Amino acid sequence: MFTDDVRTQLWSTGYGRLGPVLSAAQCEQLRALYDQPELFRNRVDMARHRFGRGEYKYFAYPLPDLVRELRETLYASLYETANEWMAALSLPCDYPPELERFLERCKAEGQERPTPLMLHYGQGDFNCLHQDLYGDVVFPFQVVLGLSSPDDEFKGGELLLVEQQPRAQSIGHAIRLAKARLS
């Protein structure tokens, strides 16, 4: 799933584009999950918390099969690069090859709830700039999956990533998501 080109992008810009990894049918399958409240542990109204406008829901365990499979596959593709990043930053960490072992480490630190989530935006909705951290045990990468078709189903919707450089101006990267693509 991760080519040398994607790894090069991660090192040079802090993000990488994978290209299409899901079929249109899989995107629709995932979208349909949003209307099944029993699959989620929590719903967040972003305006209420001043996180932006729109909402998101955290999946509950057990994760739906496709969500679980994506999570396991992506982790397996990223753990080596995560270890390399932490070493380059002189930060202590050793990400194991298996997601289950990493989740056991999280659980031992009291981080037991699943973090995969789905966002839902309407016209004019947005998410404020933020960094997602849910405890002391962290994984340095997040994956964003576009489930809707830009231009056909929505306008705008760019993902803004901000690169902070010590003693320098921040650099923004506006990423346009596409359906059936991971970024």
Side-chain angles (χ1 to χ4, degrees), residues 86-141:
M86 299 304 272
L89 293 168
S90 299
L91 295 173
C93 197
D94 179 26
Y95 296 105
E98 302 84 17
L99 174 62
E100 192 57 41
R101 286 185 39 216
F102 176 69
L103 294 175
E104 287 170 6
R105 185 179 298 164
C106 292
K107 187 175 182 178
E109 294 296 321
Q111 297 169 223
E112 300 181 34
R113 298 185 300 177
T115 55
L117 57 86
M118 288 186 79
L119 293 143
H120 182 268
Y121 297 111
Q123 184 172 350
D125 287 351
F126 63 94
N127 200 327
C128 294
L129 292 175
H130 68 284
Q131 183 178 17
D132 290 331
L133 295 174
Y134 302 106
D136 293 333
V137 181
V138 298
F139 192 71
F141 300 113

Short mmCIF file of all heavy atoms in Angstrom, two decimals, residues 86-141:
data_model
loop_
_atom_site.label_atom_id
_atom_site.label_comp_id
_atom_site.label_asym_id
_atom_site.label_seq_id
_atom_site.Cartn_x
_atom_site.Cartn_y
_atom_site.Cartn_z
N MET A 86 10.51 8.64 14.78
CA MET A 86 10.80 8.84 16.19
C MET A 86 12.31 8.82 16.45
O MET A 86 12.82 9.62 17.22
CB MET A 86 10.09 7.79 17.04
CG MET A 86 8.56 7.84 16.90
SD MET A 86 7.84 9.44 17.30
CE MET A 86 7.62 9.22 19.05
N ALA A 87 13.02 7.92 15.78
CA ALA A 87 14.48 7.87 15.92
C ALA A 87 15.11 9.16 15.41
O ALA A 87 16.02 9.71 16.04
CB ALA A 87 15.04 6.66 15.18
N ALA A 88 14.62 9.67 14.28
CA ALA A 88 15.16 10.92 13.72
C ALA A 88 14.92 12.10 14.65
O ALA A 88 15.71 13.04 14.68
CB ALA A 88 14.53 11.19 12.35
N LEU A 89 13.84 12.03 15.42
CA LEU A 89 13.52 13.10 16.38
C LEU A 89 14.16 12.87 17.75
O LEU A 89 13.94 13.64 18.68
CB LEU A 89 12.00 13.22 16.54
CG LEU A 89 11.25 13.71 15.31
CD1 LEU A 89 9.75 13.51 15.49
CD2 LEU A 89 11.58 15.17 15.04
N SER A 90 14.91 11.79 17.87
CA SER A 90 15.53 11.39 19.14
C SER A 90 14.48 11.21 20.23
O SER A 90 14.70 11.57 21.40
CB SER A 90 16.60 12.40 19.58
OG SER A 90 17.62 12.47 18.62
N LEU A 91 13.33 10.66 19.85
CA LEU A 91 12.26 10.39 20.80
C LEU A 91 12.17 8.89 21.03
O LEU A 91 12.24 8.10 20.09
CB LEU A 91 10.91 10.91 20.28
CG LEU A 91 10.82 12.43 20.14
CD1 LEU A 91 9.51 12.82 19.45
CD2 LEU A 91 10.91 13.09 21.50
N PRO A 92 12.01 8.48 22.29
CA PRO A 92 11.95 7.05 22.57
C PRO A 92 10.60 6.46 22.14
O PRO A 92 9.55 6.98 22.47
CB PRO A 92 12.09 6.98 24.09
CG PRO A 92 11.56 8.28 24.57
CD PRO A 92 11.89 9.29 23.50
N CYS A 93 10.67 5.40 21.36
CA CYS A 93 9.46 4.68 21.00
C CYS A 93 9.85 3.48 20.14
O CYS A 93 10.85 3.52 19.43
CB CYS A 93 8.46 5.55 20.24
SG CYS A 93 6.83 4.78 20.26
N ASP A 94 9.07 2.45 20.26
CA ASP A 94 9.28 1.26 19.44
C ASP A 94 7.91 0.73 19.07
O ASP A 94 7.26 0.06 19.87
CB ASP A 94 10.08 0.22 20.21
CG ASP A 94 10.31 -1.04 19.40
OD1 ASP A 94 10.32 -0.96 18.16
OD2 ASP A 94 10.46 -2.11 20.01
N TYR A 95 7.45 1.06 17.88
CA TYR A 95 6.14 0.60 17.43
C TYR A 95 6.26 -0.83 16.96
O TYR A 95 7.05 -1.13 16.06
CB TYR A 95 5.60 1.50 16.31
CG TYR A 95 5.38 2.91 16.79
CD1 TYR A 95 6.25 3.92 16.44
CD2 TYR A 95 4.30 3.22 17.60
CE1 TYR A 95 6.06 5.22 16.90
CE2 TYR A 95 4.10 4.52 18.06
CZ TYR A 95 4.98 5.51 17.70
OH TYR A 95 4.79 6.78 18.16
N PRO A 96 5.48 -1.73 17.54
CA PRO A 96 5.55 -3.13 17.13
C PRO A 96 4.92 -3.33 15.75
O PRO A 96 4.11 -2.52 15.31
CB PRO A 96 4.74 -3.86 18.21
CG PRO A 96 3.79 -2.82 18.73
CD PRO A 96 4.50 -1.50 18.61
N PRO A 97 5.27 -4.43 15.07
CA PRO A 97 4.72 -4.68 13.74
C PRO A 97 3.21 -4.93 13.72
O PRO A 97 2.55 -4.68 12.73
CB PRO A 97 5.46 -5.93 13.26
CG PRO A 97 6.63 -6.07 14.14
CD PRO A 97 6.30 -5.39 15.43
N GLU A 98 2.66 -5.41 14.82
CA GLU A 98 1.23 -5.75 14.87
C GLU A 98 0.45 -4.66 15.58
O GLU A 98 0.81 -4.24 16.68
CB GLU A 98 1.00 -7.08 15.60
CG GLU A 98 1.72 -8.26 15.00
CD GLU A 98 3.16 -8.36 15.49
OE1 GLU A 98 3.50 -7.73 16.50
OE2 GLU A 98 3.95 -9.06 14.83
N LEU A 99 -0.63 -4.21 14.98
CA LEU A 99 -1.50 -3.21 15.60
C LEU A 99 -1.99 -3.67 16.96
O LEU A 99 -2.04 -2.88 17.91
CB LEU A 99 -2.69 -2.91 14.69
CG LEU A 99 -3.74 -1.97 15.29
CD1 LEU A 99 -3.16 -0.59 15.58
CD2 LEU A 99 -4.95 -1.87 14.35
N GLU A 100 -2.33 -4.95 17.09
CA GLU A 100 -2.85 -5.46 18.36
C GLU A 100 -1.87 -5.23 19.51
O GLU A 100 -2.27 -4.86 20.61
CB GLU A 100 -3.19 -6.95 18.23
CG GLU A 100 -4.00 -7.49 19.40
CD GLU A 100 -5.30 -6.73 19.65
OE1 GLU A 100 -6.00 -6.38 18.68
OE2 GLU A 100 -5.62 -6.49 20.83
N ARG A 101 -0.58 -5.41 19.25
CA ARG A 101 0.43 -5.17 20.31
C ARG A 101 0.50 -3.69 20.66
O ARG A 101 0.66 -3.33 21.83
CB ARG A 101 1.80 -5.70 19.87
CG ARG A 101 1.83 -7.22 19.94
CD ARG A 101 3.16 -7.85 19.64
NE ARG A 101 4.30 -7.16 20.17
CZ ARG A 101 5.49 -7.07 19.54
NH1 ARG A 101 5.65 -7.61 18.35
NH2 ARG A 101 6.50 -6.45 20.09
N PHE A 102 0.37 -2.81 19.67
CA PHE A 102 0.34 -1.37 19.95
C PHE A 102 -0.90 -1.02 20.78
O PHE A 102 -0.83 -0.25 21.75
CB PHE A 102 0.38 -0.55 18.66
CG PHE A 102 0.26 0.92 18.89
CD1 PHE A 102 1.29 1.64 19.48
CD2 PHE A 102 -0.89 1.61 18.52
CE1 PHE A 102 1.18 3.01 19.71
CE2 PHE A 102 -1.01 2.97 18.74
CZ PHE A 102 0.03 3.67 19.34
N LEU A 103 -2.04 -1.59 20.43
CA LEU A 103 -3.27 -1.32 21.19
C LEU A 103 -3.18 -1.85 22.62
O LEU A 103 -3.73 -1.25 23.55
CB LEU A 103 -4.48 -1.91 20.46
CG LEU A 103 -4.79 -1.28 19.10
CD1 LEU A 103 -5.94 -2.02 18.42
CD2 LEU A 103 -5.09 0.21 19.24
N GLU A 104 -2.47 -2.95 22.81
CA GLU A 104 -2.24 -3.47 24.17
C GLU A 104 -1.43 -2.46 24.98
O GLU A 104 -1.70 -2.24 26.17
CB GLU A 104 -1.52 -4.81 24.12
CG GLU A 104 -2.40 -5.94 23.65
CD GLU A 104 -1.62 -7.23 23.38
OE1 GLU A 104 -0.40 -7.29 23.66
OE2 GLU A 104 -2.25 -8.17 22.85
N ARG A 105 -0.44 -1.84 24.35
CA ARG A 105 0.36 -0.80 25.01
C ARG A 105 -0.53 0.38 25.40
O ARG A 105 -0.44 0.92 26.49
CB ARG A 105 1.49 -0.35 24.09
CG ARG A 105 2.45 0.62 24.72
CD ARG A 105 3.57 1.01 23.75
NE ARG A 105 4.36 -0.15 23.38
CZ ARG A 105 5.18 -0.19 22.34
NH1 ARG A 105 5.33 0.86 21.56
NH2 ARG A 105 5.87 -1.27 22.07
N CYS A 106 -1.41 0.78 24.49
CA CYS A 106 -2.35 1.87 24.78
C CYS A 106 -3.24 1.50 25.95
O CYS A 106 -3.44 2.31 26.88
CB CYS A 106 -3.22 2.18 23.55
SG CYS A 106 -2.33 2.89 22.16
N LYS A 107 -3.77 0.28 25.93
CA LYS A 107 -4.66 -0.17 27.00
C LYS A 107 -3.95 -0.17 28.35
O LYS A 107 -4.54 0.22 29.37
CB LYS A 107 -5.19 -1.57 26.66
CG LYS A 107 -6.25 -2.07 27.60
CD LYS A 107 -6.81 -3.40 27.14
CE LYS A 107 -7.91 -3.86 28.06
NZ LYS A 107 -8.49 -5.13 27.61
N ALA A 108 -2.70 -0.58 28.37
CA ALA A 108 -1.93 -0.60 29.62
C ALA A 108 -1.78 0.81 30.20
O ALA A 108 -1.60 0.96 31.41
CB ALA A 108 -0.55 -1.21 29.38
N GLU A 109 -1.88 1.83 29.36
CA GLU A 109 -1.79 3.23 29.80
C GLU A 109 -3.17 3.86 30.00
O GLU A 109 -3.28 5.08 30.14
CB GLU A 109 -0.97 4.05 28.81
CG GLU A 109 0.48 3.64 28.72
CD GLU A 109 1.24 3.87 30.02
OE1 GLU A 109 1.00 4.90 30.69
OE2 GLU A 109 2.06 3.00 30.38
N GLY A 110 -4.21 3.03 29.98
CA GLY A 110 -5.56 3.53 30.22
C GLY A 110 -6.26 4.09 28.99
O GLY A 110 -7.33 4.67 29.09
N GLN A 111 -5.66 3.90 27.82
CA GLN A 111 -6.25 4.39 26.57
C GLN A 111 -6.94 3.21 25.89
O GLN A 111 -6.37 2.56 25.02
CB GLN A 111 -5.16 4.98 25.67
CG GLN A 111 -4.48 6.19 26.27
CD GLN A 111 -3.24 6.61 25.51
OE1 GLN A 111 -2.23 6.92 26.10
NE2 GLN A 111 -3.28 6.61 24.18
N GLU A 112 -8.17 2.95 26.28
CA GLU A 112 -8.86 1.74 25.85
C GLU A 112 -9.91 1.97 24.78
O GLU A 112 -10.38 1.02 24.16
CB GLU A 112 -9.52 1.08 27.06
CG GLU A 112 -8.52 0.69 28.12
CD GLU A 112 -9.15 0.00 29.30
OE1 GLU A 112 -10.13 -0.74 29.11
OE2 GLU A 112 -8.65 0.20 30.42
N ARG A 113 -10.32 3.21 24.55
CA ARG A 113 -11.41 3.46 23.60
C ARG A 113 -10.88 3.57 22.17
O ARG A 113 -9.79 4.12 21.95
CB ARG A 113 -12.15 4.74 23.99
CG ARG A 113 -12.79 4.62 25.36
CD ARG A 113 -13.62 5.80 25.70
NE ARG A 113 -12.82 7.02 25.71
CZ ARG A 113 -13.31 8.22 25.92
NH1 ARG A 113 -14.59 8.39 26.14
NH2 ARG A 113 -12.52 9.27 25.92
N PRO A 114 -11.64 3.07 21.19
CA PRO A 114 -11.20 3.17 19.80
C PRO A 114 -11.23 4.61 19.32
O PRO A 114 -12.09 5.39 19.71
CB PRO A 114 -12.21 2.31 19.05
CG PRO A 114 -13.42 2.28 19.92
CD PRO A 114 -12.93 2.40 21.34
N THR A 115 -10.28 4.97 18.48
CA THR A 115 -10.18 6.34 17.98
C THR A 115 -10.63 6.53 16.53
O THR A 115 -10.77 7.68 16.11
CB THR A 115 -8.74 6.87 18.13
OG1 THR A 115 -7.85 5.97 17.48
CG2 THR A 115 -8.36 7.00 19.59
N PRO A 116 -10.88 5.47 15.73
CA PRO A 116 -11.40 5.73 14.39
C PRO A 116 -12.73 6.49 14.47
O PRO A 116 -13.57 6.20 15.33
CB PRO A 116 -11.60 4.34 13.79
CG PRO A 116 -10.66 3.47 14.54
CD PRO A 116 -10.64 4.04 15.93
N LEU A 117 -12.89 7.45 13.58
CA LEU A 117 -14.10 8.26 13.61
C LEU A 117 -14.55 8.61 12.21
O LEU A 117 -13.81 8.46 11.25
CB LEU A 117 -13.88 9.53 14.44
CG LEU A 117 -12.75 10.47 14.04
CD1 LEU A 117 -13.19 11.46 12.99
CD2 LEU A 117 -12.26 11.22 15.27
N MET A 118 -15.80 9.08 12.12
CA MET A 118 -16.35 9.56 10.85
C MET A 118 -16.84 10.98 11.06
O MET A 118 -17.51 11.28 12.04
CB MET A 118 -17.52 8.69 10.40
CG MET A 118 -17.11 7.33 9.91
SD MET A 118 -18.50 6.40 9.23
CE MET A 118 -18.62 7.15 7.61
N LEU A 119 -16.48 11.84 10.12
CA LEU A 119 -16.93 13.24 10.13
C LEU A 119 -18.10 13.40 9.18
O LEU A 119 -18.16 12.74 8.14
CB LEU A 119 -15.80 14.15 9.67
CG LEU A 119 -14.61 14.23 10.62
CD1 LEU A 119 -13.33 14.33 9.83
CD2 LEU A 119 -14.77 15.40 11.55
N HIS A 120 -19.01 14.32 9.53
CA HIS A 120 -20.13 14.64 8.66
C HIS A 120 -20.27 16.15 8.60
O HIS A 120 -20.45 16.81 9.63
CB HIS A 120 -21.43 14.02 9.19
CG HIS A 120 -22.59 14.28 8.30
ND1 HIS A 120 -23.41 15.36 8.45
CD2 HIS A 120 -23.05 13.60 7.22
CE1 HIS A 120 -24.35 15.33 7.52
NE2 HIS A 120 -24.15 14.27 6.76
N TYR A 121 -20.14 16.70 7.40
CA TYR A 121 -20.24 18.14 7.20
C TYR A 121 -21.43 18.47 6.32
O TYR A 121 -21.72 17.74 5.38
CB TYR A 121 -18.97 18.69 6.51
CG TYR A 121 -17.70 18.53 7.28
CD1 TYR A 121 -16.72 17.65 6.85
CD2 TYR A 121 -17.47 19.27 8.42
CE1 TYR A 121 -15.54 17.50 7.55
CE2 TYR A 121 -16.28 19.13 9.13
CZ TYR A 121 -15.33 18.25 8.69
OH TYR A 121 -14.15 18.11 9.38
N GLY A 122 -22.07 19.59 6.61
CA GLY A 122 -23.09 20.17 5.75
C GLY A 122 -22.53 21.43 5.12
O GLY A 122 -21.37 21.79 5.32
N GLN A 123 -23.37 22.14 4.38
CA GLN A 123 -22.93 23.36 3.72
C GLN A 123 -22.42 24.36 4.75
O GLN A 123 -23.06 24.63 5.76
CB GLN A 123 -24.08 23.98 2.94
CG GLN A 123 -23.65 25.20 2.14
CD GLN A 123 -24.76 25.70 1.21
OE1 GLN A 123 -25.77 25.03 1.04
NE2 GLN A 123 -24.54 26.85 0.64
N GLY A 124 -21.23 24.89 4.52
CA GLY A 124 -20.63 25.89 5.40
C GLY A 124 -19.94 25.33 6.64
O GLY A 124 -19.37 26.08 7.42
N ASP A 125 -19.98 24.01 6.82
CA ASP A 125 -19.33 23.41 7.99
C ASP A 125 -17.82 23.36 7.80
O ASP A 125 -17.31 23.39 6.68
CB ASP A 125 -19.86 22.00 8.23
CG ASP A 125 -21.28 21.98 8.79
OD1 ASP A 125 -21.80 23.06 9.14
OD2 ASP A 125 -21.86 20.89 8.87
N PHE A 126 -17.11 23.27 8.92
CA PHE A 126 -15.65 23.25 8.89
C PHE A 126 -15.14 22.67 10.20
O PHE A 126 -15.86 22.55 11.17
CB PHE A 126 -15.09 24.67 8.70
CG PHE A 126 -15.45 25.60 9.83
CD1 PHE A 126 -14.58 25.79 10.90
CD2 PHE A 126 -16.67 26.27 9.83
CE1 PHE A 126 -14.92 26.64 11.95
CE2 PHE A 126 -17.01 27.12 10.88
CZ PHE A 126 -16.14 27.30 11.94
N ASN A 127 -13.88 22.32 10.20
CA ASN A 127 -13.18 21.82 11.38
C ASN A 127 -12.05 22.79 11.66
O ASN A 127 -11.28 23.14 10.77
CB ASN A 127 -12.63 20.42 11.07
CG ASN A 127 -12.32 19.62 12.30
OD1 ASN A 127 -11.93 20.16 13.32
ND2 ASN A 127 -12.48 18.32 12.18
N CYS A 128 -11.94 23.25 12.89
CA CYS A 128 -10.86 24.18 13.26
C CYS A 128 -9.52 23.44 13.26
O CYS A 128 -9.47 22.22 13.41
CB CYS A 128 -11.11 24.75 14.65
SG CYS A 128 -12.56 25.81 14.75
N LEU A 129 -8.45 24.20 13.09
CA LEU A 129 -7.12 23.61 13.16
C LEU A 129 -6.95 22.98 14.54
O LEU A 129 -7.32 23.58 15.56
CB LEU A 129 -6.05 24.67 12.94
CG LEU A 129 -5.97 25.25 11.54
CD1 LEU A 129 -4.93 26.37 11.50
CD2 LEU A 129 -5.63 24.18 10.53
N HIS A 130 -6.41 21.78 14.58
CA HIS A 130 -6.21 21.09 15.84
C HIS A 130 -5.22 19.94 15.64
O HIS A 130 -4.86 19.60 14.52
CB HIS A 130 -7.54 20.55 16.38
CG HIS A 130 -8.11 19.44 15.54
ND1 HIS A 130 -8.74 19.67 14.34
CD2 HIS A 130 -8.11 18.10 15.73
CE1 HIS A 130 -9.12 18.52 13.82
NE2 HIS A 130 -8.74 17.55 14.63
N GLN A 131 -4.84 19.36 16.76
CA GLN A 131 -4.01 18.15 16.74
C GLN A 131 -4.72 17.13 17.60
O GLN A 131 -5.12 17.42 18.72
CB GLN A 131 -2.62 18.46 17.31
CG GLN A 131 -1.69 17.28 17.27
CD GLN A 131 -0.30 17.64 17.80
OE1 GLN A 131 -0.12 18.64 18.48
NE2 GLN A 131 0.66 16.80 17.50
N ASP A 132 -4.91 15.93 17.06
CA ASP A 132 -5.61 14.88 17.80
C ASP A 132 -4.63 14.09 18.65
O ASP A 132 -3.76 13.39 18.12
CB ASP A 132 -6.31 13.92 16.84
CG ASP A 132 -7.50 14.55 16.15
OD1 ASP A 132 -8.11 15.46 16.75
OD2 ASP A 132 -7.83 14.14 15.03
N LEU A 133 -4.77 14.21 19.96
CA LEU A 133 -4.00 13.40 20.91
C LEU A 133 -4.98 12.88 21.95
O LEU A 133 -5.79 13.64 22.46
CB LEU A 133 -2.90 14.22 21.59
CG LEU A 133 -1.79 14.75 20.68
CD1 LEU A 133 -0.84 15.65 21.46
CD2 LEU A 133 -1.01 13.60 20.05
N TYR A 134 -4.89 11.60 22.25
CA TYR A 134 -5.85 10.99 23.17
C TYR A 134 -5.17 10.39 24.40
O TYR A 134 -5.76 9.58 25.08
CB TYR A 134 -6.66 9.92 22.43
CG TYR A 134 -7.38 10.48 21.24
CD1 TYR A 134 -6.95 10.22 19.95
CD2 TYR A 134 -8.50 11.30 21.42
CE1 TYR A 134 -7.62 10.75 18.86
CE2 TYR A 134 -9.16 11.83 20.33
CZ TYR A 134 -8.72 11.56 19.06
OH TYR A 134 -9.38 12.09 17.98
N GLY A 135 -3.95 10.74 24.68
CA GLY A 135 -3.22 10.21 25.82
C GLY A 135 -1.74 10.28 25.57
O GLY A 135 -1.28 10.88 24.59
N ASP A 136 -0.98 9.67 26.45
CA ASP A 136 0.48 9.72 26.35
C ASP A 136 1.05 8.81 25.26
O ASP A 136 2.12 9.06 24.73
CB ASP A 136 1.11 9.37 27.69
CG ASP A 136 0.84 10.43 28.75
OD1 ASP A 136 0.63 11.60 28.36
OD2 ASP A 136 0.81 10.09 29.94
N VAL A 137 0.36 7.72 24.94
CA VAL A 137 0.82 6.81 23.90
C VAL A 137 0.21 7.30 22.59
O VAL A 137 -1.01 7.33 22.43
CB VAL A 137 0.39 5.36 24.18
CG1 VAL A 137 0.90 4.43 23.08
CG2 VAL A 137 0.90 4.90 25.54
N VAL A 138 1.06 7.69 21.66
CA VAL A 138 0.58 8.25 20.39
C VAL A 138 1.27 7.57 19.22
O VAL A 138 2.38 7.06 19.34
CB VAL A 138 0.79 9.78 20.31
CG1 VAL A 138 0.03 10.50 21.41
CG2 VAL A 138 2.26 10.13 20.37
N PHE A 139 0.58 7.60 18.10
CA PHE A 139 1.14 7.14 16.84
C PHE A 139 1.31 8.39 15.99
O PHE A 139 0.40 9.22 15.94
CB PHE A 139 0.20 6.13 16.17
CG PHE A 139 0.83 5.40 15.02
CD1 PHE A 139 1.80 4.44 15.24
CD2 PHE A 139 0.44 5.66 13.72
CE1 PHE A 139 2.39 3.75 14.18
CE2 PHE A 139 1.01 4.98 12.66
CZ PHE A 139 1.99 4.03 12.88
N PRO A 140 2.45 8.59 15.32
CA PRO A 140 2.72 9.88 14.68
C PRO A 140 1.96 10.16 13.38
O PRO A 140 2.08 11.24 12.83
CB PRO A 140 4.22 9.84 14.42
CG PRO A 140 4.55 8.40 14.31
CD PRO A 140 3.61 7.70 15.26
N PHE A 141 1.17 9.19 12.89
CA PHE A 141 0.46 9.41 11.64
C PHE A 141 -1.04 9.26 11.83
O PHE A 141 -1.49 8.45 12.64
CB PHE A 141 0.90 8.39 10.57
CG PHE A 141 2.36 8.46 10.24
CD1 PHE A 141 3.20 7.42 10.56
CD2 PHE A 141 2.90 9.58 9.62
CE1 PHE A 141 4.55 7.47 10.26
CE2 PHE A 141 4.25 9.64 9.32
CZ PHE A 141 5.08 8.59 9.64
#
